[in-house]
Amino acid sequence: MPDSPLSPTPRPCSRTVSVQLPDILSSCTPFELRVNRHCRSVSRASEAWLCDVGLKLEWKGIKVGLWASLCYPGADLSQLRLGADFLSLLVYEQEQDGCGNENENEVFDLISDRLSRVAYKNPAWYMRFHRSMRMYHDARRRLHSLDSTCIPDLETYVDLRRNASGLKMVFHLIEYAGGLDLPERVSSHPVLKQLTDQACDLIAWSEDAISCAKGMTPNSRINIVTVLMKDRNCSFGSALAYVGTLVKQSADGFLATERQLAACAVMDDDTRRYVRGLRDCIAGSVNWLYETERYLGTKGNEVRAFGWVFVPVLD
């Protein structure tokens, strides 16, 4: 018998599942964790500035200043402040996904004057940074055009995620924060580019795995877990476990590529310091995933110790 016109529309079934997140931290033990001594003062100043310019989030719990301090442990006060403000704008823009803010890309205009001063001193660096920002916005638009009915294959997703993560810009700031000068022949060297891609994959996939704790619904942002569920025709838990394997492979690949780069003619003091900066970004970003309340709320230490989370799922 057909449904009556007055029959209620069936509602999606909501449930909570218990899953164990992959042990990402163990894959990152080769990377030393360091912190900038200006962490506290820069965090306070950056959070106050964000409120002054009207960008409202729970900044104290998100701890972007800590993230910047872990990624740029050797930066001076002004360098760390620009790094913290940039990372905050990156987080803010990503948190606005789906909120209908058509001009959200303009948040980066808030630091355009400071970036312009860097560009005046190092125009080649700024050109690379600006190119990565264009690729970031383009990749985000492409990812936003996808949904649960149009999940890309793994190779396509990995390429999009590298740019949509914004991490390439985060890595460019290693040069600024360290006062480095990487000429084009170095920055475009295929081995260094491979190393940068491996660092980007490791961090982005780790974030994808941890962010699943916020919930998985048909309207959730596509990430590597949903891509693997389709690509490997596997369950949510199996896909999460495989992300852990991919992160470990990326960490091992980074270490192997690092050894390969050491034998290249482009390896000089600034290149070595940049590679150490990539290491700082890996260790800092992955550890920050458990410190910030952005993904795990106040349960970060508990999840760090045991790995188990309760994930809301909408079927």
Side-chain angles (χ1 to χ4, degrees):
M1 179 177 180
D3 290 341
S4 162
L6 299 180
S7 298
T9 302
R11 293 183 178 181
C13 178
S14 178
R15 58 192 174 94
T16 300
V17 298
S18 175
V19 295
Q20 188 170 32
L21 296 177
D23 186 9
I24 293 166
L25 289 170
S26 66
S27 299
C28 297
T29 51
F31 308 109
E32 180 186 2
L33 184 67
R34 305 188 295 156
V35 64
N36 193 292
R37 63 190 179 94
H38 300 297
C39 176
R40 185 169 298 178
S41 60
V42 165
S43 294
R44 286 197 298 260
S46 183
E47 288 166 12
W49 172 76
L50 290 162
C51 291
D52 287 344
V53 297
L55 303 184
K56 307 297 185 183
L57 285 179
E58 294 296 329
W59 294 114
K60 191 173 184 64
I62 295 176
K63 303 178 184 178
V64 183
L66 174 61
W67 183 21
S69 297
L70 295 172
C71 287
Y72 314 118
D76 65 24
L77 194 66
S78 62
Q79 291 167 339
L80 183 63
R81 175 61 193 278
L82 178 56
D85 289 351
F86 172 78
L87 292 180
S88 296
L89 298 180
L90 192 65
V91 168
Y92 181 82
E93 183 174 75
Q94 292 172 356
E95 287 294 314
Q96 302 311 299
D97 286 353
C99 294
N101 293 345
E102 295 180 359
N103 297 320
E104 59 184 12
N105 293 350
E106 296 178 3
V107 296
F108 293 107
D109 291 344
L110 293 168
I111 57 171
S112 61
D113 57 334
R114 283 181 279 170
L115 289 174
S116 295
R117 288 195 290 272
V118 181
Y120 179 77
K121 296 178 181 179
N122 193 338
W125 173 88
Y126 183 73
M127 287 179 64
R128 293 196 299 272
F129 183 90
H130 195 259
R131 181 167 60 245
S132 292
M133 182 170 283
R134 290 199 309 270
M135 295 170 68
Y136 161 75
H137 289 313
D138 179 64
R140 276 171 52 81
R141 283 191 292 269
R142 292 174 63 189
L143 273 180
H144 291 170
S145 69
L146 304 175
D147 57 30
S148 58
T149 66
C150 187
I151 298 175
D153 60 65
L154 182 59
E155 183 178 358
T156 300
Y157 173 78
V158 167
D159 187 58
L160 280 173
R161 186 70 170 105
R162 283 173 183 164
N163 290 312
S165 67
L167 287 167
K168 290 185 178 181
M169 295 180 288
V170 175
F171 297 160
H172 289 316
L173 287 175
I174 295 171
E175 298 175 61
Y176 162 73
L180 310 181
D181 182 15
L182 297 184
E184 184 65 25
R185 66 179 181 83
V186 175
S187 63
S188 63
H189 194 280
V191 179
L192 187 60
K193 290 182 71 174
Q194 181 181 2
L195 194 71
T196 302
D197 284 346
Q198 288 165 330
C200 187
D201 292 343
L202 196 164
I203 297 170
W205 299 345
S206 297
E207 182 189 11
D208 279 2
I210 300 298
S211 67
C212 286
K214 298 173 70 173
M216 296 289 289
T217 74
N219 294 324
S220 296
R221 176 176 63 85
I222 290 174
N223 66 24
I224 196 168
V225 178
T226 53
V227 170
L228 287 171
M229 288 172 67
K230 176 189 175 184
D231 194 68
R232 297 172 64 86
N233 191 28
C234 64
S235 68
F236 175 43
S238 296
L240 266 176
Y242 191 63
V243 173
T245 300
L246 293 178
V247 168
K248 179 67 166 62
Q249 289 174 353
S250 286
D252 291 344
F254 181 96
L255 296 173
T257 305
E258 185 181 32
R259 291 191 293 269
Q260 183 183 353
L261 183 65
C264 293
V266 297
M267 181 60 80
D268 58 12
D269 187 56
D270 276 3
T271 309
R272 276 188 288 271
R273 290 170 62 193
Y274 175 77
V275 172
R276 186 174 189 183
L278 289 177
R279 284 173 153 266
D280 288 328
C281 285
I282 291 171
S285 298
V286 172
N287 277 273
W288 174 75
L289 294 173
Y290 296 85
E291 295 294 329
T292 178
E293 296 177 12
R294 186 183 181 193
Y295 307 104
L296 302 171
T298 58
K299 302 287 188 181
N301 287 335
E302 182 180 329
V303 176
R304 182 193 290 266
F306 303 107
W308 288 95
V309 293
F310 292 99
V311 180
V313 177
L314 188 64
D315 295 324

